[in-house]
Each structure stands twice: as structure tokens, then as C-alpha cells.
Amino acid sequence: MAAQVEPIIRVRGLRTQFGDQVVHQDLDLDVRRGEILGIVGGSGTGKSVLLRTIIGLNRPAAGRIEVFGQDMAKITAAERMAVEQRWGVLFQDGALFSSLTVAQNIEVPMKEHLDMPARLRDEIAALKIAMVGLPPEAGSKYPSELSGGMRKRAGLARSLALDPDLIFLDEPTSGLDPIGAANFDQLIRRLQINLGLTVFMVTHDLDSLHAICDRIAMLAEKRIMVIGSMADMLHHEHPWVHEYFHGPRARAARRKDEEVSG
């Protein structure tokens, strides 16, 4: 049944390159509606480049990217804006505007895409702040006054400002201590369930893969080498995939997951 779910993102034959350096070649990927998909791979495999290319920050050298059934290379500027209203993005460390308060940061997408009074924007920002587990007083603080974990939550709140169907997360737990990372994982899962989100998550965090990802896509040799459940990863014979999911850190993550579920 799950295999028949229409993809919310469809990538075919993608090639990305910077000068002579080819990052991706003949890359295919489907992201199913309603899933949390973890994108993993070694350093330099282009995990974040893939995310940035899908959302239009990098121009692909070849291939096709469809989001919500729209070919992103062929739509008009107005159609692209309509698509962008349906997704949110959390970059590493939140990527907040340092000169704006948390509430003002959350209101940036509303000002860009929606015509609404300031009072309503303020109310929505306060709601998003509460949704990600920040205290109400965080809204009046500047990013420099927040801890790393709070900045990530503020960035997540901004990604949810327009009630998106799809969110992109770039290394959401990097830099967090184990407890903070586990709490952030559970926040993502809770929001995904309650809001019906599709989540595209670039990560190197094996705990996150075990805890919340429905499927995992492994980037290697410039393409998606394998995609499937954690069980699929554990039984795959490709040497790099096997080492990644059977190494010491992977074994520790599996033990932790078994302790939580047991």
C-alpha cells in the first residue's frame, strides 16, 4: 500500500556540478507524502546540495525535479511562489536574521507571501513559538540571546509559519547534546503526525535515523545507492552502506533504540 503513495517530490536523472566537480549524476529519488525521509551519506556526497537544489537555491546541470506534481524548471514565477508557500526550510543552526527578534523572524514568510494585519501575524508567530516548545518570552529575544537548541526551534517555528505540507530539515540535530537531540527528534515526529507533514531530513545522526525516519536514502557514488527502511539498510551488501549501518556508532544507536522501544 505504501509503495503506491504518490510522491510529493520526484527527482529523475539529476546532475549537479560546480565547475568540473560533479556532485550528483543520474540521481533518482521519490519522497512519499506523509513520510519522514532521512538523507544520509559520507562527507562530500552532496546531501545538503541535494536539498538546496530541490528548493531552487542551486541550478541543476541536468535532470527533472517535480514538487507537488509541478516541474520546477518549467513553472512561472507566480506558480513557483505558490509552491514555495507549501514548504518550509530549517537550515543548519536555524539561519535566523540576527537583526530581527524570534517573532519577527517567524513573520518574514508571512510578510513575503501573505497580506495580513500585523496583529494577526503576531498571533500566528506566538502560536508557532508554542508549537515548537519555546516559552512565550522567546518571541522578543534576538538569536544571539538564544542557546543553539533554542535557535533551531525558532528556525523550525519559522519553517512552519505558512502551515506547509512539506518541510526540509538540514542537519537539525547537529551541535545538540544527546538529550537535546532526542527531544528535537521527538518534536519533529510529533509535528509530523499532528500536522500531517512530509519531512525531507538531511542528517548524519544515526539516533535520528533509528528514532523517527520511516525510510532512509543513502547517497553514495553520486546517486541514491539504496532507499528503504532501516531493516533494508542493515541487510544491504554495498560495503559503504554496510559499514555505515554496522559500525560502532550504528550499533550503539540500535541498542539505544531497543532500550527505548523495549
Side-chain angles (χ1 to χ4, degrees):
M1 185 74 174
Q4 299 175 4
V5 174
E6 183 69 18
I8 201 168
I9 299 173
R10 187 192 300 270
V11 179
R12 290 293 182 272
L14 180 68
R15 185 172 83 248
T16 56
Q17 63 185 92
F18 301 97
D20 294 332
Q21 181 188 8
V22 177
V23 181
H24 305 127
Q25 180 71 49
D26 297 325
L27 186 150
D28 295 342
L29 176 65
D30 285 348
V31 182
R32 299 169 181 166
R33 185 179 298 275
E35 74 174 343
I36 298 180
L37 178 70
I39 307 294
V40 299
S43 298
T45 53
K47 301 182 294 295
S48 295
V49 171
L50 177 59
L51 183 157
R52 295 172 67 86
T53 303
I54 291 173
I55 65 175
L57 296 181
N58 296 326
R59 183 186 295 271
R64 187 174 76 255
I65 298 171
E66 296 178 5
V67 184
F68 303 119
Q70 300 262 43
D71 186 331
M72 300 302 290
K74 296 180 178 179
I75 58 178
T76 66
E79 289 169 335
R80 170 173 280 278
M81 182 166 286
V83 170
E84 291 178 352
Q85 288 184 46
R86 299 180 63 188
W87 74 44
V89 185
L90 170 62
F91 295 104
Q92 290 191 44
D93 199 39
L96 300 169
F97 297 108
S98 60
S99 62
L100 302 180
T101 65
V102 168
Q104 290 169 339
N105 266 280
I106 296 169
E107 292 180 26
V108 167
M110 303 181 217
K111 289 182 177 180
E112 181 179 359
H113 292 284
L114 304 175
D115 182 17
M116 62 171 57
R119 181 175 178 180
L120 182 55
R121 289 199 307 269
D122 292 343
E123 291 175 357
I124 293 174
L127 174 62
K128 304 304 178 182
I129 287 169
M131 284 173 62
V132 299
L134 287 174
E137 58 269 21
S140 61
K141 294 184 180 298
Y142 289 90
S144 61
E145 300 177 284
L146 304 178
S147 67
M150 292 179 74
R151 282 196 299 273
K152 285 181 182 288
R153 288 178 183 253
L156 182 60
R158 185 177 63 186
S159 77
L160 298 172
L162 300 179
D163 296 331
D165 300 305
L166 167 66
I167 57 172
F168 294 89
L169 309 177
D170 192 3
E171 300 283 7
T173 60
S174 66
L176 300 181
D177 62 72
I179 294 175
N183 289 338
F184 202 87
D185 282 340
Q186 294 311 310
L187 172 62
I188 293 169
R189 173 57 88 182
R190 186 166 62 250
L191 291 170
Q192 183 262 336
I193 292 172
N194 292 340
L195 302 178
L197 296 170
T198 301
V199 181
F200 180 104
M201 181 171 71
V202 170
T203 185
H204 67 277
D205 192 331
L206 285 158
D207 289 334
S208 296
L209 297 176
H210 279 275
I212 64 171
C213 288
D214 299 302
R215 290 195 305 152
I216 300 162
M218 169 62 73
L219 256 174
E221 300 177 17
K222 298 183 174 61
R223 60 190 177 89
I224 300 296
M225 180 62 61
V226 58
I227 184 168
S229 66
M230 179 60 72
D232 296 325
M233 300 296 133
L234 294 174
H235 292 95
H236 201 273
E237 296 181 357
H238 186 279
W240 202 95
V241 178
H242 186 274
E243 176 62 23
Y244 193 92
F245 288 98
H246 288 271
R249 293 184 66 195
R251 290 195 294 272
R254 284 203 303 276
R255 285 196 299 272
K256 184 183 296 185
D257 185 50
E258 288 167 359
E259 290 170 3
V260 171
S261 56

